Amino acid sequence: MLIDQTHKVWIRWTVLLAVIATAAYIPYHLLSLNGPSGGSWPGLIYGIAGSALMLYAGLLSLRKKIPTWRIGRAETWMRGHLWLGLLSLLLICFHAGFRFGGPLTTVLMWLLIGIILSGVWGLALQQFLPRLMMTQVPAETIYEQIDHVVEQLIQATDSLIEEVCGPLGLPTEEAATTTVAAAVVKSEGVVKGRVVKSKTKRASGEPVAGSEPLKEFYLTEARPFLQHGSARLSRLGQAKPAATLFDHLRTLLPTSLHQTVDELAAACDERRQLSLQVRLHHWLHGWLFVHVPLSMAVLVLTIWHIVMALRY
């Protein structure tokens, strides 16, 4: 969610409510003989208001799971989740008089702080990671299909290299899959929007003279990188070292194979982009694995806190 012009109204109302709540808290704090208390009428009002805002923020996940509910627009819920969630922390602090209290309330306060911090962190990531993905990952695809795209990419490059280097000596299952992929590549000529074409057409088993360095490079460097895409384990994980490797490879090969090297370099570049997309996706959504469980825990403990407060 980007912070844009549509948030101005929410920001103004949140600031206004925060100012009103603070203006009411100051005299309440100064006039309380024993200090602010959650059991006093002002304390209860702050507690009820803060808990209500927390409940509203927590209902966002339920609203997402039941999109058929026509209760406001999803964008409105998201903005309310953000700004009213921030306001709830201030109100809860006023409710507690900025004291953590007993074990239950201490746990609640730390969990609430954790929710706010994780939410702010996630919001900050959302401001620049999607834009970074657009500029750094032009080959972006649907995240759930990345494994399938990688598989197609490997199959296509296997076929490409076998055309000029002969059989690669792959395991039986991989070789059979590559044979099917070769037919697809020849008939369609496209893998993930990238044209896969080879100017050298040779029968299987007839490697081009001088193609041995290409085959060795593919099996030892390129194919493992295409399979795993780890920037830490391969020199192909970074664009500049990869360009140097491919430049050196061209010096070892006849001119007729330079086109194949270019296509292999393009395949590795696409694999780098897909790996980067996976990393950015994990960063963009990983904070939810902290934020959501903490939110659920706070809602449950808040209900328990209310029950215990009413009971005693």
Side-chain angles (χ1 to χ4, degrees), residues 209-223:
S211 63
E212 291 80 7
L214 175 60
K215 180 178 181 179
E216 181 181 359
F217 174 79
Y218 181 69
L219 292 176
T220 59
E221 291 266 7
R223 198 172 195 276

Side-chain angles (χ1 to χ4, degrees), residues 71-182:
I71 308 176
R73 299 174 58 188
E75 295 83 357
T76 303
W77 278 80
M78 285 295 296
R79 297 184 190 107
H81 176 86
L82 168 60
W83 298 110
L84 298 183
L86 287 173
L87 182 59
S88 69
L89 176 62
L90 179 65
L91 297 181
I92 293 300
C93 287
F94 288 164
H95 164 69
F98 291 91
R99 295 191 298 267
F100 280 23
L104 177 59
T105 54
T106 298
V107 171
L108 269 171
M109 287 297 294
W110 279 116
L111 288 177
L112 184 57
I113 292 172
I115 291 171
I116 298 299
L117 291 178
S118 61
V120 170
W121 172 248
L123 180 66
L125 293 177
Q126 292 174 44
Q127 303 311 299
F128 69 90
L129 282 186
R131 299 174 186 174
L132 180 65
M133 192 175 296
M134 290 178 63
T135 58
Q136 300 296 319
V137 190
E140 181 184 0
T141 187
I142 299 174
Y143 177 78
E144 290 74 14
Q145 294 183 359
I146 287 180
D147 290 341
H148 178 63
V149 172
V150 169
E151 182 181 349
Q152 285 186 322
L153 190 62
I154 294 172
Q155 293 168 359
T157 51
D158 283 351
S159 173
L160 180 71
I161 300 302
E162 282 190 338
E163 284 187 0
V164 296
C165 296
L168 297 175
L170 299 172
T172 305
E173 291 184 3
E174 292 189 50
T177 306
T178 300
T179 302
V180 174

Side-chain angles (χ1 to χ4, degrees), residues 158-167 182 186 197-212 214 254 256-257 260:
D158 283 351
S159 173
L160 180 71
I161 300 302
E162 282 190 338
E163 284 187 0
V164 296
C165 296
K186 288 180 180 178
K197 53 185 178 180
S198 177
K199 293 182 178 180
T200 307
K201 300 293 183 181
R202 305 182 64 85
S204 178
E206 294 185 25
V208 175
S211 63
E212 291 80 7
L214 175 60
S256 60
L257 294 179
T260 303

Side-chain angles (χ1 to χ4, degrees), residues 137 140-141 143 146 273-281:
V137 190
E140 181 184 0
T141 187
Y143 177 78
I146 287 180
Q273 293 182 42
L274 293 174
S275 296
L276 179 58
Q277 181 182 346
V278 171
R279 293 198 297 274
L280 292 179
H281 180 88

